[in-house]
Amino acid sequence: MNYSLSIIEKGLLAANTLSAPFGLALSAHDAAMVAAAKLEAVRESGRVEFSGGVEQELIRAFSPSPYIEQRAYAETLCELFEIFYEQKNQLPDDYPDDDLIIWMADAFNGRCGGSLEALRGLKPMEEPWRPEPEPDEEQADE
Amino acid sequence: MNNSLDKGLDRGELAALMRDRCRKYTGGMSSSVRMEVFEHLLDGVLYTIDLCEDRTLPLAEQYKRGRAEISGELRRAKLALAVARATRTKQVCTAYGETLDAGMTAFFKRYDPETSPQDCLLTLDYELALHPHELRGVTKISAYLRRLIIENRYCTMLPAGMLNRIVPPDRELIFNTFELGLRAVILTGTLLDIKDAAMAQYVKEAAKRL
């Protein structure tokens, strides 16, 4: 029941209008590669996709990132789809796609410093780590 | 999806129906579900469609009618539960009471025709002489209760004191009171005037299995 390659490709190419203002675009060849990788990510995660739109939301959220460059844009999208479906499996069934995507983009641009490996290592919706205040500092405040 | 092929269902119609079910299940917030969730929902859809007798209708309509059938079966089962409780047999094992009281109450509280219509939720520890092993969902519960009523009524027809003499003193053991009564009737050559055709058929079938 998963979406066909051609539908995903069309969705990815249509999303060029969202990424173009940030200097990012997929060629037809790139779109075919990313579509295949996305489909593989869905399969690998053991999920069934019954509705489209994720590719556009992901591109909309990640395009403004200062860490994504045109030369690695397609490969980055492939990895982001992989991470997205891995993370989906760790969330409740009705958890919104959009919320996860926003969280991923925020974490990627923030605490992960643009590292896909760091993003992959995070637990979905995990609160950012903050250092515990030193006991002396606490006393000093009192 | 192999089931759909076996049943000769239109795959396009089934895919559209499944998209709708998945969308409802996730509250429209997710575009994908885990495979096990998908399979569970598909099983529920196939169970529901099976309850519609008119195979010529579009699948969505078959599903709609199946859902109506489930609602009707739920109402019949609730009524059957009231009758089963009203006709309950006294000389029974603990599992009988647990199934009829706490078990059935839990079923009607937790049964979900939307996402899990095929689940009957209960283990039905009190096994009937003709247990509905082959059925699922509310269909199973409804059949169970209707058969239990027959067993209950049969027990009330037995000669006074018979059941007290034959049921085991340890009520924690699982035993079927109707079967014990039926066996005693056969062994002692007791004649019962069974006028109810459904009961006569049930007793005949159960006797064959003794």
Side-chain angles (χ1 to χ4, degrees):
Chain A
M1 187 162 134
N2 287 322
Y3 269 60
S4 70
L5 271 176
S6 61
I7 294 177
I8 302 170
E9 272 179 56
K10 277 181 196 161
L12 287 166
L13 289 172
N16 277 341
T17 56
L18 302 170
S19 58
F22 304 98
L24 302 169
L26 291 172
S27 65
H29 177 265
D30 287 342
M33 181 189 83
V34 175
K38 189 209 158 186
L39 211 55
E40 185 54 27
V42 174
R43 284 202 195 106
E44 272 292 308
S45 65
R47 298 183 71 83
V48 177
E49 189 179 38
F50 57 87
S51 154
V54 166
E55 44 282 346
Q56 301 225 353
E57 288 311 312
L58 198 102
I59 287 170
R60 191 196 307 276
F62 277 86
S63 290
S65 170
Y67 298 107
I68 298 179
E69 295 172 359
Q70 173 61 33
R71 61 183 174 81
Y73 181 44
E75 288 79 7
T76 303
L77 284 180
C78 294
E79 280 209 54
L80 284 173
F81 281 122
E82 237 179 67
I83 296 169
F84 172 77
Y85 287 109
E86 279 171 15
Q87 307 253 5
K88 275 293 279 185
N89 275 347
Q90 297 179 51
L91 291 165
D93 293 327
D94 59 352
Y95 198 86
D97 288 349
D98 294 359
D99 286 9
L100 175 58
I101 289 170
I102 290 167
W103 172 81
M104 279 173 62
D106 187 54
F108 179 72
N109 293 327
R111 71 189 113 152
C112 296
S115 162
L116 289 165
E117 277 316 299
L119 182 63
R120 196 187 291 274
L122 292 179
K123 285 186 180 156
M125 316 317 289
E126 189 179 63
E127 284 301 307
W129 178 82
R130 289 191 179 87
E132 292 282 321
E134 292 291 323
D136 292 351
E137 287 175 23
E138 277 183 1
Q139 282 169 5
D141 287 344
E142 281 169 9
Chain B
M1 288 277 191
N2 289 340
N3 285 348
S4 64
L5 294 176
D6 296 345
K7 289 166 187 282
L9 301 177
D10 182 297
R11 294 191 72 163
E13 283 187 85
L14 185 59
L17 193 52
M18 283 307 297
R19 265 197 294 279
D20 183 55
R21 299 318 306 155
C22 291
R23 208 169 280 140
K24 284 205 171 114
Y25 177 77
T26 62
M29 303 303 268
S30 179
S31 58
S32 63
V33 287
R34 285 174 290 120
M35 181 59 85
E36 55 266 35
V37 170
F38 183 83
E39 285 174 348
H40 182 78
L41 293 174
L42 176 62
D43 193 25
V45 164
L46 295 177
Y47 168 83
T48 307
I49 287 169
D50 261 351
L51 297 176
C52 173
E53 288 177 2
D54 190 346
R55 293 273 175 254
T56 63
L57 295 169
L59 213 53
E61 183 59 27
Q62 287 185 44
Y63 179 78
K64 198 174 153 192
R65 292 198 184 186
R67 281 297 301 273
E69 192 56 42
I70 287 173
S71 299
E73 199 62 59
L74 255 180
R75 282 195 296 274
R76 287 191 286 276
K78 277 181 187 166
L79 188 62
L81 176 61
V83 177
R85 282 175 174 169
T87 58
R88 71 169 71 222
T89 307
K90 289 194 180 77
Q91 298 83 354
V92 289
C93 60
T94 311
Y96 176 101
E98 286 171 354
T99 303
L100 195 53
D101 297 322
M104 287 297 167
T105 302
F107 171 80
F108 287 106
K109 200 171 169 185
R110 288 168 37 209
Y111 182 67
D112 179 7
E114 180 81 18
T115 54
S116 308
Q118 73 277 31
D119 289 353
C120 91
L121 306 169
L122 306 181
T123 51
L124 298 175
D125 291 340
Y126 184 75
E127 202 154 306
L128 302 177
L130 301 179
H131 200 77
H133 290 292
E134 74 286 5
L135 300 176
R136 302 195 299 157
V138 68
T139 325
K140 181 172 191 165
I141 295 297
S142 195
Y144 179 90
L145 289 167
R146 286 197 304 274
R147 294 177 195 187
L148 182 60
I149 292 168
I150 292 176
E151 292 195 3
N152 286 349
R153 284 186 171 148
Y154 180 85
C155 289
T156 62
M157 296 172 71
L158 298 176
M162 181 187 262
L163 285 179
N164 287 329
R165 287 194 297 276
I166 59 176
V167 297
D170 184 357
R171 299 298 168 94
E172 293 302 319
L173 289 173
I174 294 184
F175 56 86
N176 180 286
T177 305
F178 162 83
E179 271 182 342
L180 294 176
L182 178 60
R183 187 174 283 120
V185 163
I186 293 169
L187 290 175
T188 58
T190 308
L191 289 175
L192 297 176
D193 185 18
I194 300 174
K195 294 191 174 85
D196 180 346
M199 184 189 286
Q201 183 62 31
Y202 190 89
V203 169
K204 195 174 154 189
E205 281 297 315
K208 272 192 226 165
R209 296 188 189 192
L210 282 180

